[in-house]
Amino acid sequence: MAEKKTTTKLAQSMADYRTPSIKRQWYVAGRLEEFGEDLQEIVIMNRSLVRYRTSSGEPVLMQNRCPHRSYPLSESIREGDNIRCRYHGATFDSDGVFVRVPSQDICPKSGLRKYPVVEIGPFVWVWMANESPDYSLLPELPYTQGDWKLIIGRFDVPGNIMFMAENLCDLSHLPYLHEKTLGYPPEFAKEQLEIRQVGNGLEYERKISGQYYHKTVFFSQETSDLIDPCSYSMSNIGYFKSTALNYSYVRLMIDPADVAKYPGLQEEYGFIISHYLTPETDKTTHYYWLLARNYDMDKTSVDQQLESGITAAFMEDIETTQLLQDMMEKDHEPYREVIFGGDKVAVMMRRIVKQLADQEAKDKVTQ
Ligand code: FES
Ligand SMILES: [Fe+2]
């Protein structure tokens, strides 16, 4: 009985798909090039928004719904940096201010809500809380500068953001769900993690015992064969920064004696796989991913191979998210989640998110 009570209490202290999305954080609102000349709609946190870029290069993200009769401004006409609503011709400037209403001489004071955005790395980030943006929470993306080769991809996830946020903190599914795509051996699920909480984030370091990383999807056959006869030490650290950003930094440090012995080897092979989640609705999520690597930099064939390999694995996560979302909708039997040893990071993450969500509810933060 006591155990049941404790488990229930634990479950209540963890965020899940019913928890309102965190508002006081920065989310990716699109890639730099998705803020272009065209007026485009993007839905974020159940708000229809219009995105474009002014002639001076400023990215703009505003309410998409014309305050007159709800016509989408993304389906309207761009006039210089202004938008003219296609329905009755009301015109707004890039700050969302009414500049013209054809049927009257005076413009209404209320216009379109404009959202604060910042460009960092290959993305435009948005602050959705209806209060002053906290610029100290803007993410750092060191791997988008310097000597890294980047590949970027995007998915539409048919499930709540928390399913995906948990999936990214849950490494114990890698050898199973991704049995045929990623190449991790079953012992991976048991390797020990050292977990550190840093502010509202987590760092989780995997203590690697086997030498199998060079055989995973992240390496081309050629590079994998080159590394195969060598011994190497490894570092693998995962970072949960927020539900909007999670990344893993993996480094293979080759034994210097092997570097001297086998031509063509480099001392260190590093890759960073990062994930960017943005709630679209309560049941759908925008998902961008970025792979940065410091090897095979000039081989476009490796780009293609990595992209298709990673996409195949990510599709398994996305299908899983949809299955979980569907289960929540069709099965209304009261249930209690069972927690496994491999869930430590995910449980800590869900507790942090629940505390943040509770604080936002207490502070009555709106979006
Ligand atoms: S709906 Fe936009 S001006 Fe009427
Ligand atoms: Fe996965």
Side-chain angles (χ1 to χ4, degrees):
M1 194 65 192
E3 193 195 330
K4 189 175 176 182
K5 256 191 182 159
T6 318
T7 317
T8 310
K9 218 170 163 193
L10 178 66
Q12 283 167 352
S13 69
M14 298 195 299
D16 66 15
Y17 67 100
R18 294 164 293 197
T19 307
S21 293
I22 302 301
K23 298 166 193 74
R24 285 174 173 151
Q25 67 187 27
W26 294 88
Y27 289 102
V28 165
R31 291 180 63 171
L32 298 181
E33 56 271 32
E34 286 172 320
F35 284 72
E37 270 191 36
D38 296 343
L39 303 170
Q40 275 187 12
E41 183 190 27
I42 178 163
V43 174
I44 298 179
M45 292 173 85
N46 301 305
R47 299 285 185 271
S48 172
L49 309 175
V50 58
R51 62 185 176 189
Y52 68 107
R53 193 175 287 273
T54 64
S55 47
S56 61
E58 182 210 345
V60 177
L61 190 64
M62 301 196 292
Q63 171 188 335
N64 190 32
R65 179 180 190 147
C66 179
H68 178 228
R69 289 294 178 269
S70 300
Y71 195 88
L73 298 168
S74 55
E75 300 296 320
S76 294
I77 295 137
R78 184 168 168 171
E79 286 183 335
D81 287 342
N82 296 344
I83 304 177
R84 171 158 56 86
C85 179
R86 193 160 156 252
Y87 203 177
H88 310 95
T91 305
F92 306 88
D93 69 11
S94 59
D95 286 323
V97 176
F98 270 107
V99 292
R100 185 168 173 259
V101 175
S103 58
Q104 61 186 51
D105 293 335
I106 296 173
C107 286
K109 286 218 165 31
S110 63
L112 307 173
R113 177 166 168 199
K114 185 174 179 177
Y115 290 77
V117 289
V118 176
E119 293 175 296
I120 300 182
F123 302 111
V124 177
W125 299 75
V126 60
W127 178 265
M128 294 297 289
N130 200 2
E131 56 183 34
S132 300
D134 184 344
Y135 290 100
S136 73
L137 296 178
L138 277 166
E140 284 175 24
L141 310 180
Y143 45 86
T144 61
Q145 292 147 16
D147 264 355
W148 294 98
K149 181 70 189 286
L150 308 183
I151 322 173
I152 303 177
R154 178 186 189 286
F155 297 109
D156 290 310
V157 180
N160 178 272
I161 187 171
M162 283 309 295
F163 292 122
M164 206 64 227
E166 174 158 33
N167 172 292
L168 297 172
C169 288
D170 157 24
L171 305 177
S172 64
H173 79 276
L174 301 187
Y176 295 95
L177 183 65
H178 305 303
E179 189 182 5
K180 299 201 168 61
T181 49
L182 283 185
Y184 290 89
E187 58 263 32
F188 181 90
K190 274 204 165 157
E191 280 180 346
Q192 291 306 305
L193 285 176
E194 189 181 295
I195 310 169
R196 300 177 283 273
Q197 180 158 356
V198 183
N200 289 323
L202 295 169
E203 292 181 11
Y204 37 107
E205 186 167 0
R206 184 165 285 277
K207 302 293 172 197
I208 309 279
S209 50
Q211 297 216 346
Y212 48 78
Y213 250 96
H214 64 290
K215 292 186 181 157
T216 61
V217 71
F218 299 102
F219 292 90
S220 66
Q221 191 61 50
E222 199 185 333
T223 303
S224 173
D225 290 346
L226 198 60
I227 299 174
D228 204 44
C230 308
S231 53
Y232 54 83
S233 58
M234 281 210 54
S235 151
N236 177 353
I237 307 181
Y239 298 85
F240 162 75
K241 293 288 187 181
S242 71
T243 49
L245 173 60
N246 181 310
Y247 65 89
S248 293
Y249 186 5
V250 178
R251 297 161 69 203
L252 279 61
M253 279 86 63
I254 311 287
D255 184 331
D258 285 329
V259 177
K261 190 165 149 196
Y262 299 103
L265 274 172
Q266 55 190 63
E267 286 168 13
E268 184 177 319
Y269 292 80
F271 64 88
I272 296 171
I273 177 88
S274 51
H275 314 263
Y276 310 81
L277 303 178
T278 304
E280 182 184 37
T281 65
D282 298 338
K283 295 177 184 174
T284 55
T285 304
H286 301 289
Y287 178 6
Y288 290 86
W289 59 269
L290 185 155
L291 177 70
R293 68 181 195 273
N294 75 347
Y295 48 90
D296 291 336
M297 306 269 281
D298 49 5
K299 292 188 190 153
T300 45
S301 61
V302 174
D303 290 356
Q304 285 153 10
Q305 183 211 315
L306 290 178
E307 185 163 3
S308 59
I310 288 170
T311 299
F314 286 179
M315 285 313 293
E316 293 167 332
D317 292 308
I318 288 163
E319 283 161 17
T320 299
T321 303
Q322 173 150 37
L323 291 169
L324 300 185
Q325 180 75 47
D326 289 351
M327 183 60 83
M328 300 307 162
E329 284 172 38
K330 67 188 168 196
D331 185 289
H332 294 276
E333 180 78 21
Y335 81 107
R336 207 155 44 92
E337 289 177 310
V338 175
I339 311 250
F340 291 164
D343 297 332
K344 278 198 188 96
V345 179
V347 166
M348 287 177 79
M349 181 278 287
R350 286 173 57 182
R351 295 185 83 154
I352 291 171
V353 176
K354 183 74 166 80
Q355 282 163 12
L356 292 172
D358 287 349
Q359 188 62 47
E360 291 192 355
K362 204 169 144 210
D363 296 346
K364 299 191 169 38
V365 182
T366 56
Q367 58 185 77

